[in-house]
């Protein structure tokens, strides 16, 4: 079964993303802080990682380096954030984020993108 | 005898201290347990609410396990507002069904009536984030004349939500000049309600508030094609709007070598000049631009040296 990891410190947004992914043939896990996130990424490999907010990237691309240790398979990293400034978006894409989606979200679109990744 | 009484007093004091300590430990443990219980209830309610909204359940089927949460109406309003602002195109029937089922509009109106100042503004903002009926919006119109500026603005937001077709008229006729954060709030409302707005008519509007909203749109979406309109605004008579247009030009990383920009900048006070130089240095403007604008090198040179970033705007 595929695995999806959500990194979010906010209860409402975590449950929002979890509800959007409901019913998929995938196991969804949640990390509320970076320590839990690193612990979960060390234990298992994930197909999709959803990061809510840009706060994990305050230390640069360390988050993605830990999620994508070689030679294991590279998960898709989606970032969901309120920031819309061009510099922020470009900075995150340069860090290695695969998709940058801004709030307000379209639940159908997010679900379709995750399904597309899981069906590859 | 005295020694015995001393021992008794000592034991009594130590006993009281121990009881106090034990009481404190028990209270902390109970509070932590209750906090964990409340958080678990909160999560359960949010999850069910999301399921209701995403599955577009009819209002008759709505039944949330909300009663166990302390101050459950406040919690439910907070959840609905946060979900509503984070997600597009929620099913209005279900969303409105939840609001009506739990009497949230009337409850919020009661809170608005009984509070003052910033608290009242907070409740008005929450009302603006919920789908409301026109009758409720009509009851809030009187707060547009409130003493507190935040209350007036939040009452305006309620009006904009209730009558999106009147958005431009309401913003244009709002008495006070919109601040940048207020213009951003209006813009956020436009995005949530999927109201398409062209920026150029806003920038060229005779109403200052509509021009503020236009500036917010240009800044947020990085519309470089609006540079000519921004320069016209910088050269205009309204000093406040000229400064904002200048700020948006810097956000767009546009070259600042225009006479209008120089004339605007020459009117700055010394403190404003320093603030602007710090801002330009932070955005990566090179010495050449600043020398042309301000004619000052030493202060700006020190700023560039202190900012550890590459210069991007020559």
């Amino acid at each position: 079964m595929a695995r999806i990891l959500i990194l979010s410190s906010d209860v409402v947004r975590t449950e929002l993303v979890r509800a959007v992914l409901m019913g998929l043939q995938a196991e969804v896990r949640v990390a509320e802080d970076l320590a839990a996130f690193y612990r979960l990424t060390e234990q298992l490999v994930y197909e999709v990682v959803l990061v809510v907010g840009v706060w994990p990237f305050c230390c640069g691309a360390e988050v993605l380096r830990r999620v994508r240790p070689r030679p294991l398979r590279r998960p898709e990293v989606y970032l969901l954030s309120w920031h819309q400034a061009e510099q922020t978006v470009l900075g995150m894409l340069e860090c290695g984020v695969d998709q940058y989606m801004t709030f307000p979200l379209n639940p159908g679109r997010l679900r379709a993108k995750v399904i597309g990744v899981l069906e590859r | 005898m005295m020694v015995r009484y001393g021992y008794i007093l000592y034991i009594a004091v130590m006993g009281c201290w121990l009881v106090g300590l034990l009481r404190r430990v028990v209270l902390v443990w109970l509070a932590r347990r209750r906090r964990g219980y409340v958080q678990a209830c909160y999560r359960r309610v949010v999850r069910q609410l999301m399921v209701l909204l995403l599955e577009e359940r009819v209002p008759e089927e709505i039944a949330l396990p909300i009663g166990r949460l302390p101050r459950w109406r406040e919690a439910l309003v907070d959840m609905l507002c946060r979900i509503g602002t984070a997600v597009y195109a929620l099913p209005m029937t279900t969303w409105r069904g939840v609001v009506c089922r739990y009497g949230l509009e009337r409850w919020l109106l009661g809170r608005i009536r009984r509070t003052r100042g910033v608290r009242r503004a907070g409740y008005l903002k929450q009302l603006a984030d919920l789908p409301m009926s026109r009758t409720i919006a009509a009851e809030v119109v009187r707060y547009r004349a409130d003493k507190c500026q935040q209350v007036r603005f939040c009452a305006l937001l309620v009006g904009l939500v209730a009558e999106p077709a009147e958005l431009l008229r309401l913003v244009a006729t709002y008495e006070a000049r919109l601040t940048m954060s207020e213009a951003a709030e209006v813009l956020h409302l436009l995005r949530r309600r999927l109201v398409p707005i062209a920026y150029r008519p806003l920038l060229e509007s005779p109403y200052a508030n509509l021009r503020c909203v236009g500036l917010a749109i240009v800044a947020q979406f990085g519309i470089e094609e609006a540079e000519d309109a921004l320069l016209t605004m910088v050269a205009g008579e309204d000093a406040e709007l000229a400064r904002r247009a200048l700020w948006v030009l810097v956000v767009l990383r546009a070259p600042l070598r225009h006479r209008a920009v120089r004339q605007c900048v020459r009117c700055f006070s010394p403190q404003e000049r320093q603030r602007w130089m710090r801002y330009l240095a932070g955005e990566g403007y090179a010495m050449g631009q600043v020398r042309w604008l301000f004619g000052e090198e030493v202060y700006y040179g020190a700023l560039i040296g202190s900012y550890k970033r590459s210069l991007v705007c020559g």
Side-chain angles (χ1 to χ4, degrees):
Chain A
M1 189 186 263
R3 289 190 200 91
I4 300 173
L5 178 58
I6 302 171
L7 171 57
S8 168
S9 57
D10 182 73
V11 169
V12 173
R13 283 180 213 141
T14 305
E15 295 304 325
L16 191 152
V17 175
R18 208 205 273 254
V20 168
L21 301 175
M22 213 169 45
L24 293 181
Q25 294 292 320
E27 182 191 338
V28 178
R29 294 196 180 207
V30 175
E32 291 185 3
D33 52 41
L34 280 177
F37 179 75
Y38 292 147
R39 200 169 47 245
L40 286 171
T41 49
E42 278 161 17
Q43 289 167 2
L44 294 165
V45 174
Y46 296 88
E47 273 67 36
V48 181
V49 173
L50 292 157
V51 180
V52 181
V54 297
W55 57 272
F57 294 92
C58 286
C59 303
E62 176 65 20
V63 170
L64 293 183
R65 272 196 289 274
R66 299 281 284 263
V67 159
R68 292 172 172 162
R70 294 178 183 171
L72 296 172
R73 194 176 53 202
R74 186 175 173 275
E76 288 280 308
V77 178
Y78 287 9
L79 179 55
L80 314 172
S81 169
W82 283 103
H83 288 273
Q84 291 163 11
E86 192 184 343
Q87 297 92 43
T88 311
V89 176
L90 287 175
M92 292 300 109
L93 293 173
E94 281 168 10
C95 276
V97 166
D98 294 298
Q99 281 271 350
Y100 187 100
M101 300 175 82
T102 54
F103 286 108
L105 277 183
N106 186 328
R109 193 166 166 232
L110 176 61
R111 189 181 171 90
K113 283 186 180 291
V114 172
I115 289 173
V117 172
L118 297 180
E119 285 177 354
R120 263 189 232 160
Chain B
M1 189 81 151
M2 290 300 293
V3 170
R4 194 164 54 173
Y5 283 145
Y7 275 135
I8 292 168
L9 188 63
Y10 173 75
I11 290 165
V13 165
M14 289 307 294
C16 288
W17 178 79
L18 270 171
V19 165
L21 184 67
L22 209 65
R23 177 178 167 273
R24 195 166 170 188
V25 165
V26 166
L27 284 175
V28 165
W29 177 75
L30 284 173
R32 204 173 288 168
R33 196 160 164 246
R34 179 162 173 74
R35 213 169 23 247
Y37 172 74
V38 166
Q39 276 177 5
C41 279
Y42 192 88
R43 280 179 195 276
R44 203 175 310 133
V45 173
V46 171
R47 200 170 300 161
Q48 267 201 273
L49 196 53
M50 281 308 309
V51 167
L52 280 176
L53 289 168
L54 290 178
E55 291 182 358
E56 300 187 33
R57 299 260 181 95
V58 295
E60 291 74 34
E61 294 177 8
I62 295 171
L64 296 168
I66 200 84
R68 293 185 167 207
L69 272 180
R71 303 199 314 208
W72 60 270
R73 282 200 181 90
E74 212 167 293
L76 188 54
V77 165
D78 178 59
M79 283 178 218
L80 283 171
C81 290
R82 292 175 72 186
I83 292 170
T85 51
V87 178
Y88 268 134
L90 281 173
M92 205 47 76
T93 323
T94 314
W95 200 13
R96 183 116 189 91
V98 175
V99 170
C100 294
R101 172 75 187 265
Y102 294 100
L104 299 178
E105 283 176 335
R106 286 283 148 204
W107 179 79
L108 270 174
L109 277 179
R111 284 289 170 131
I112 289 166
R113 215 175 292 127
R114 286 194 292 270
T115 51
R116 296 282 181 272
V118 175
R119 293 190 72 169
R120 178 180 272 178
Y123 288 123
L124 279 167
K125 178 74 174 60
Q126 284 186 323
L127 190 63
D129 286 337
L130 297 178
M132 81 191 95
S133 61
R134 287 189 175 219
T135 48
I136 298 290
E139 291 188 43
V140 165
V141 171
R142 60 189 163 123
Y143 297 112
R144 290 188 206 167
D146 194 274
K147 284 183 298 189
C148 176
Q149 190 249 334
Q150 282 123 318
V151 171
R152 291 198 298 270
F153 176 68
C154 291
L156 171 70
L157 279 182
V158 171
L160 296 179
V161 166
E163 296 173 278
E166 299 291 312
L167 189 139
L168 291 179
R169 182 187 63 81
L170 288 171
V171 170
T173 53
Y174 182 60
E175 311 95 34
R177 180 75 62 94
L178 288 177
T179 63
M180 279 159 53
S181 62
E182 287 170 353
E185 278 286 346
V186 172
L187 184 59
H188 181 62
L189 195 74
L190 293 177
R191 290 192 68 209
R192 269 176 52 210
R193 302 287 160 161
L194 301 175
V195 177
I197 294 279
Y199 70 91
R200 203 161 273 275
L202 289 175
L203 288 179
E204 293 165 0
S205 164
Y207 296 101
N209 281 337
L210 290 180
R211 280 188 279 173
C212 290
V213 174
L215 285 172
I217 292 174
V218 170
Q220 184 155 97
F221 295 106
I223 305 173
E224 290 166 352
E225 295 80 16
E227 199 178 312
D228 56 327
L230 294 176
L231 287 169
T232 309
M233 217 181 278
V234 169
E237 289 166 358
D238 192 328
E240 168 73 31
L241 278 177
R243 278 170 170 72
R244 289 200 199 179
L246 201 53
W247 177 82
V248 176
L249 277 171
V250 175
V251 166
L252 298 178
R253 300 264 167 77
L256 300 176
R257 288 181 179 267
H258 294 275
R259 195 183 301 170
V261 174
R262 194 179 192 175
Q263 280 171 354
C264 181
V265 158
R266 289 284 161 92
C267 301
F268 284 177
S269 64
Q271 294 82 13
E272 271 181 308
R273 285 158 75 88
Q274 285 203 336
R275 200 162 51 229
W276 263 97
M277 276 193 261
R278 283 196 296 273
Y279 182 47
L280 292 176
E283 292 299 316
Y285 277 85
M287 180 73 82
Q289 292 273 346
V290 175
R291 195 185 296 126
W292 191 82
L293 284 175
F294 294 102
E296 284 184 36
E297 291 189 28
V298 176
Y299 181 64
Y300 197 69
L303 280 175
I304 289 178
S306 68
Y307 277 92
K308 295 175 182 60
R309 58 166 296 164
S310 51
L311 297 176
V312 295
C313 313

